[in-house]
Amino acid sequence: MKTEHYKRHTVTAALPYANGPVHIGHLAGVYIPADIYVRYLRLKGEDVLYICGSDEHGVPITIKARQENITPQEVVDKYHKQIKESFERFGISFDVYSRTSAKVHHETAAEFFKTLYDKGVFTEKETEQYYDEANKQFLADRYITGVCPHCDYEKAFGDQCENCGTSLSPTDLGNPRSMLSGNKPEMKKTKHWYLPLDQYEPMLRKWILESHKEDWKPNVYGQCKSWIDQGLQPRAVTRDLDWGVKLPLENTEGKVLYVWFDAPIGYISATREWGEAHGKDWEKYWKSSDSKLVHFIGKDNIVFHCIIFPVMLNAEGSYVMPDNVPANEFLNLEVDKISTSRNWAVWLHEYLEEFPGKEDVLRYVLTAAAPETKDNDFTWKDFQARNNNELLAIFGNFVNRTLVLTHKYFDGRVPAAGELSTADKEALEQLLAFPDTIGQSLESYRFREALAGLMGLARLGNRYLTEAEPWKIYKNDPERVKTILNVCLQICASLAVLSEPFLPHTAKRLCKMLNLGNLTWRDGGRPDLLPDNHSINKVELLFEKVEDLQVHEQVNKLYQARMDNQDESEMIELKETVTFEDFAKMDIRTGTILSAERVPKTKKLLKVTVDIGLEERTAVAGIAHVFQPDEIIGRSVLFMANLKPKKIRGIESHGMLLMGQTKDGEMTFVQPEKDIENGSVVG
C-alpha cells in the first residue's frame, strides 16, 4: 500500500470520553497504533496532522456530574486536564488535542448541522418519549432502567442490557423507572431531526462493500457489511438535553446535537483550531482530494466512523471520505474484561507514577499484544517477560555490549571497517531490508508484525555480536574487532532510527548515546550512518529488569481494587417473600450440558442443550461473557424445568440454568456435590 500520491495525511484518534481517565485498553486499541503510524509518516517526511481531543458532551457526563454533585463543565475540565497531561507524559504526539466544549467546536458543529439542514438532508419527526414529570425533562435512554425483555435482568438500561448485551430501546423495558426520580416515566411528544441513513445505503454499498473489500481489515469490513445488509434506519441527530451543542434553529430551546453527531465533528473543529493558531489552511486537510484521511478507533466505534460520519461528510459534500479505519478489537486484563466501574483497569496516569521512565515498556508490550484481529489479553507476567526477555535481554543487551566494547577498545570512537567477511556482508545486506519490511507492515496497519520486524533487527545484531566474539580475539586480531564493532554500531544506529515510532523515548536516548542528529526513515538500514572516528557518548542502560515484587504489587492492587469495590457496593437485595406453595411449584432437576454454542450477534448469550433425564431441553443462558461453549459441555447443572417457554433472539428457550452471581457480576454454576442421575428432583 503506497502513500506517495497523497500530499498530506489527516490522522484522527478516537476522542476519549471525559468522564474518567485513560486506561491500557484505550492505549492498545487506539492511541499507540495511531502514534506509531504518525511518527513513521513524519520520519518519511510526509505532511501529516495528528488530531484528537476530549469528547465532553452526552448523558454519561451529566450522570457523573449528578453523582459528584458538580456541574458537567467541572467534570469535563477535571478529566480533560488529566487525560491531556497523561498523553503528553506518555509521548502520544498529537499535533492538536482539543475539546468539544470549546467555542470553536460549538461553532463548527452548529455550522455543520445548519449546512445539512439548509440542504434538506434531515427529516423532522414527532415521537413520544419518556418524560420525568418530577424533574420536568425528557429522559435519555441511559436515565431509564427496567426489566430486560430478553433475559429478565431487572436493572437493564434503556439502550442496552448489561447482563445479556442486547441493544434495547427504552420502550422495550418492563417496569421502566426514571433514574432521576425513581418514578415511572410518562410518554410525551417531542420533535427531533433525523439523518436518513437508509437513503445512503447505495453509496455505502459501493464505497465500502465494493471499493474497500480488499484493503479494510476483515473485522471492520464484516461489521459494516452486517449493518448495511440488515438495513439502515434514520437516526436522530438531536435530543432533549441541556448539555451539548445548542441547535442553531429558532424555537428549539432545550435541544442539543446528539453526542454521536457532534463528537466526530470534533476532529474538524480541532483541525480548525490548529489552523487558526498556526496560520495554516486547515481545510485542505479535510477537503482536498490529495489528502488521506485515516481514523484510528476501537471496534465499538466502527459504525460511527465507517457508516454514520461518512454519510454526514457525503451529505455535506465538500469533505474527503476516510481512506481507512483500522479499528482494533478489545484488550482484556488478567483474563477478565476491563471494567471502569469495577476499577478493573490499569490507568495510564497511575502507571506513569509507578513506573517512571518505563513509558516505552508499556508501548512495547501493548503493541506486541495489540488486539488487531481478535480480543487479546494483558497480564503483568507477560509485561515482565517481554521487558526482561526481549527489551532487556535482546535490544538493550546488544546496544549496551556494543557501546561498552567501543569505549573499552577504541576510546568511544567508531573504528574503521576493514575487509568484510561473509558474515559481515550478510549482516549488512539484511540490515538494508529492514526499513522497507517494517514500513510495508506499518502502511498495512499491521503494527504487531512491524514491531516483530524491529525486534528482528535487534536479534540480528545480538546474534552477529555473540557469534563474532570480539572480546575473545581483540588481543590477537584488533583489526578484525574494528570491523565487527563497526558493523554492530551501524546496526545500533539503524535501531535508533527505526525504533522511534515504537519506542520514542528509547530512540531519543540511543540517538544521544550515539551522538546522532536528525535522521529520516530512509537512513535506517544504511551501513555508513556512523562515519569513521565518530565520537559516541557515555553509555547508559536503555532498560532495566522488572522484578517479581513489582508484578505481585500490581496484581495485588487489581484484586484489592476489586475487593474494595465489592465492599463499597450494596449486596444484591432479597426479593419479595413467597409462600411454600409458590416454591413447591418450581420443578428443579439435575442435568448435564450436552452442547453449547454462541447466539449470533450477541455478546452474552449461549444456546445450550441439557439432558434432564426425561428428555433433552434447549435453553438460552446469558453466560457467554464468562464461559466458552466448549468448556461447559459435560457440566452437571441444576435446571429449572417448568419455566414457561420464551423466545429469545429467535430461539425457543425451555427452561433455565441455575447460576450463582456475585455482586460484581461474576457467575458460577450451581451443581450437585457429587454425581447424581440426570432428572433427579431438587427441593
Side-chain angles (χ1 to χ4, degrees):
M1 190 178 299
K2 301 299 182 182
T3 60
E4 285 78 0
H5 64 289
Y6 290 107
K7 288 186 178 180
R8 66 197 64 82
H9 301 256
T10 306
V11 180
T12 73
L15 308 184
Y17 204 57
N19 70 335
V22 171
H23 57 63
I24 58 170
H26 301 132
L27 294 174
V30 178
Y31 305 108
I32 291 176
D35 197 62
I36 291 172
Y37 183 68
V38 165
R39 287 176 178 273
Y40 161 72
L41 292 176
R42 290 187 187 128
L43 278 174
K44 285 187 66 185
E46 302 284 355
D47 179 358
V48 56
L49 192 62
Y50 186 18
I51 306 158
C52 196
S54 298
D55 181 2
E56 300 181 335
H57 295 140
V59 172
I61 298 293
T62 63
I63 291 177
K64 189 84 169 181
R66 187 177 291 269
Q67 290 172 342
E68 299 185 8
N69 198 28
I70 57 178
T71 67
Q73 190 64 54
E74 288 174 311
V75 171
V76 298
D77 285 347
K78 171 185 175 181
Y79 289 111
H80 171 74
K81 182 176 185 292
Q82 182 185 68
I83 293 169
K84 188 172 186 289
E85 289 178 351
S86 294
F87 279 143
E88 289 172 351
R89 290 178 60 191
F90 191 60
I92 302 297
S93 58
F94 299 124
D95 290 294
V96 57
Y97 187 83
S98 188
R99 56 193 308 190
T100 60
S101 66
K103 180 181 177 182
V104 65
H105 175 71
H106 279 243
E107 292 174 350
T108 305
E111 290 168 4
F112 198 104
F113 172 88
K114 192 64 165 57
T115 298
L116 268 58
Y117 177 85
D118 290 341
K119 294 178 70 172
V121 171
F122 302 124
T123 56
E124 295 181 19
K125 187 177 176 182
E126 191 175 70
T127 61
E128 287 191 332
Q129 293 184 10
Y130 278 126
Y131 183 82
D132 188 324
E133 181 63 37
N135 285 273
K136 304 297 181 185
Q137 73 176 72
F138 284 96
L139 295 171
D141 297 350
R142 275 267 154 176
Y143 273 127
I144 306 167
T145 62
V147 179
C148 174
H150 300 287
C151 70
D152 294 328
Y153 181 61
E154 296 181 354
K155 295 183 180 180
F157 291 109
D159 60 349
Q160 185 180 42
C161 176
E162 299 294 314
N163 186 54
C164 68
T166 303
S167 295
L168 300 171
S169 294
T171 52
D172 295 335
L173 297 176
N175 192 28
R177 287 286 182 268
S178 166
M179 288 180 60
L180 300 182
S181 65
N183 298 334
K184 183 175 181 178
E186 62 183 59
M187 299 299 287
K188 189 173 181 179
K189 288 185 178 181
T190 183
K191 183 171 72 172
H192 286 293
W193 286 259
Y194 289 74
L195 183 63
L197 296 175
D198 51 317
Q199 295 180 18
Y200 292 84
E201 277 192 27
M203 180 275 290
L204 292 170
R205 284 188 177 278
K206 183 175 181 180
W207 174 59
I208 299 176
L209 303 189
E210 295 179 18
S211 300
H212 287 294
K213 186 174 184 178
E214 301 300 327
D215 62 324
W216 281 17
K217 294 171 68 172
N219 60 320
V220 177
Y221 182 87
Q223 191 176 134
C224 290
K225 187 176 188 303
S226 177
W227 271 81
I228 296 170
D229 287 347
Q230 287 178 23
L232 301 175
Q233 301 297 322
R235 193 178 182 109
V237 304
T238 59
R239 73 185 320 173
D240 297 290
L241 200 65
D242 58 359
W243 175 248
V245 178
K246 309 299 181 186
L247 239 59
L249 302 176
E250 294 182 358
N251 302 317
T252 56
E253 288 75 17
K255 294 186 187 296
V256 298
L257 296 181
Y258 219 136
V259 66
W260 66 259
F261 183 87
D262 97 79
I265 298 173
Y267 300 135
I268 299 171
S269 62
T271 311
R272 179 175 170 182
E273 178 184 300
W274 169 84
E276 292 173 355
H278 295 85
K280 301 283 188 178
D281 177 12
W282 71 268
E283 290 193 346
K284 66 183 181 181
Y285 288 90
W286 282 94
K287 299 184 177 183
S288 295
S289 60
D290 53 6
S291 293
K292 180 179 182 179
L293 175 61
V294 180
H295 296 307
F296 282 87
I297 58 169
K299 69 176 177 181
D300 52 337
N301 268 321
I302 289 175
V303 65
F304 297 105
H305 288 74
C306 296
I307 293 179
I308 297 174
F309 190 39
V311 166
M312 292 163 57
L313 297 176
N314 181 267
E316 198 279 344
S318 66
Y319 288 84
V320 298
M321 299 287 271
D323 181 83
N324 213 311
V325 187
N328 276 347
E329 301 292 293
F330 289 152
L331 184 75
N332 295 323
L333 172 60
E334 298 289 346
V335 203
D336 193 2
K337 289 185 177 180
I338 292 176
S339 171
T340 57
S341 61
R342 293 188 288 121
N343 202 19
W344 188 259
V346 177
W347 306 103
L348 176 57
H349 67 289
E350 292 183 355
Y351 176 89
L352 293 169
E353 293 297 326
E354 295 166 4
F355 289 89
K358 289 186 172 60
E359 297 87 356
D360 284 354
V361 178
L362 188 59
R363 287 178 69 108
Y364 179 84
V365 174
L366 292 180
T367 304
E372 290 184 349
T373 56
K374 63 180 181 179
D375 290 358
N376 214 343
D377 196 46
F378 172 94
T379 69
W380 281 107
K381 271 295 183 184
D382 184 58
F383 174 88
Q384 180 187 35
R386 289 190 183 278
N387 177 84
N388 294 354
N389 302 335
E390 297 172 22
L391 288 176
L392 178 62
I394 299 171
F395 193 124
N397 182 50
F398 166 64
V399 170
N400 186 67
R401 288 194 297 169
T402 297
L403 270 59
V404 165
L405 291 173
T406 302
H407 275 283
K408 179 179 180 180
Y409 296 145
F410 305 110
D411 297 322
R413 293 189 174 277
V414 177
E419 184 177 349
L420 299 179
S421 69
T422 300
D424 303 334
K425 292 176 182 178
E426 288 178 352
L428 294 175
E429 185 177 342
Q430 291 179 54
L431 174 62
L432 284 170
F434 278 95
D436 281 341
T437 300
I438 297 172
Q440 287 171 11
S441 297
L442 291 175
E443 291 184 18
S444 299
Y445 311 104
R446 297 193 298 267
F447 299 99
R448 294 174 66 169
E449 180 180 275
L451 182 66
L454 176 70
M455 285 305 296
L457 176 56
R459 293 178 196 279
L460 167 68
N462 211 36
R463 183 171 58 251
Y464 170 82
L465 179 59
T466 299
E467 292 174 355
E469 298 182 315
W471 49 88
K472 287 187 177 181
I473 63 174
Y474 176 74
K475 184 175 181 180
N476 297 320
D477 196 353
E479 291 302 312
R480 174 63 188 149
V481 172
K482 288 181 179 180
T483 301
I484 294 170
L485 288 183
N486 184 287
V487 171
C488 288
L489 286 165
Q490 304 304 338
I491 295 175
C492 286
S494 284
L495 278 173
V497 176
L498 302 182
S499 66
E500 200 278 340
F502 309 92
L503 311 170
H505 302 84
T506 301
K508 184 177 181 180
R509 291 165 59 201
L510 183 51
C511 281
K512 182 179 178 182
M513 283 192 282
L514 293 174
N515 199 16
L516 278 171
N518 294 328
L519 298 171
T520 69
W521 186 259
R522 299 310 310 175
D523 289 321
R526 279 176 45 192
D528 57 353
L529 268 180
L530 296 175
D532 295 349
N533 208 37
H534 175 82
S535 179
I536 63 174
N537 294 318
K538 180 182 176 182
V539 183
E540 298 177 1
L541 291 176
L542 291 176
F543 307 100
E544 59 184 22
K545 189 177 182 182
V546 172
E547 302 292 346
D548 290 343
L549 179 61
Q550 293 173 284
V551 171
H552 293 154
E553 287 175 346
Q554 291 301 319
V555 173
N556 289 339
K557 177 183 174 182
L558 275 173
Y559 283 96
Q560 185 61 52
R562 173 178 282 179
M563 292 175 61
D564 292 344
N565 187 60
Q566 290 176 352
D567 292 341
E568 292 170 4
S569 63
E570 295 181 2
M571 293 295 292
I572 298 172
E573 296 179 0
L574 293 173
K575 297 182 179 179
E576 62 183 70
T577 302
V578 298
T579 66
F580 178 79
E581 287 74 17
D582 291 330
F583 172 75
K585 292 178 182 178
M586 294 188 293
D587 188 349
I588 302 174
R589 305 279 181 132
T590 58
T592 301
I593 296 177
L594 301 178
S595 67
E597 61 184 86
R598 288 186 174 274
V599 177
K601 299 179 182 178
T602 67
K603 296 179 180 178
K604 297 189 177 183
L605 300 183
L606 288 182
K607 175 185 175 183
V608 298
T609 301
V610 184
D611 178 0
I612 60 169
L614 297 174
E615 60 190 40
E616 295 177 5
R617 289 284 188 89
T618 296
V620 176
I623 59 174
H625 61 301
V626 180
F627 301 99
Q628 295 297 321
D630 57 355
E631 69 178 322
I632 67 171
I633 295 173
R635 288 267 193 143
S636 295
V637 296
L638 300 187
F639 190 82
M640 180 75 159
N642 66 333
L643 192 66
K644 183 178 179 181
K646 183 174 184 178
K647 186 166 283 190
I648 301 175
R649 286 300 180 100
I651 302 168
E652 194 83 20
S653 184
H654 293 269
M656 178 187 291
L657 297 177
L658 298 191
M659 307 291 295
Q661 182 172 342
T662 66
K663 55 194 174 184
D664 70 341
E666 290 189 11
M667 304 183 79
T668 183
F669 282 95
V670 178
Q671 55 191 151
E673 183 179 356
K674 59 183 180 180
D675 290 340
I676 188 171
E677 183 181 6
N678 287 341
S680 298
V681 177
V682 178

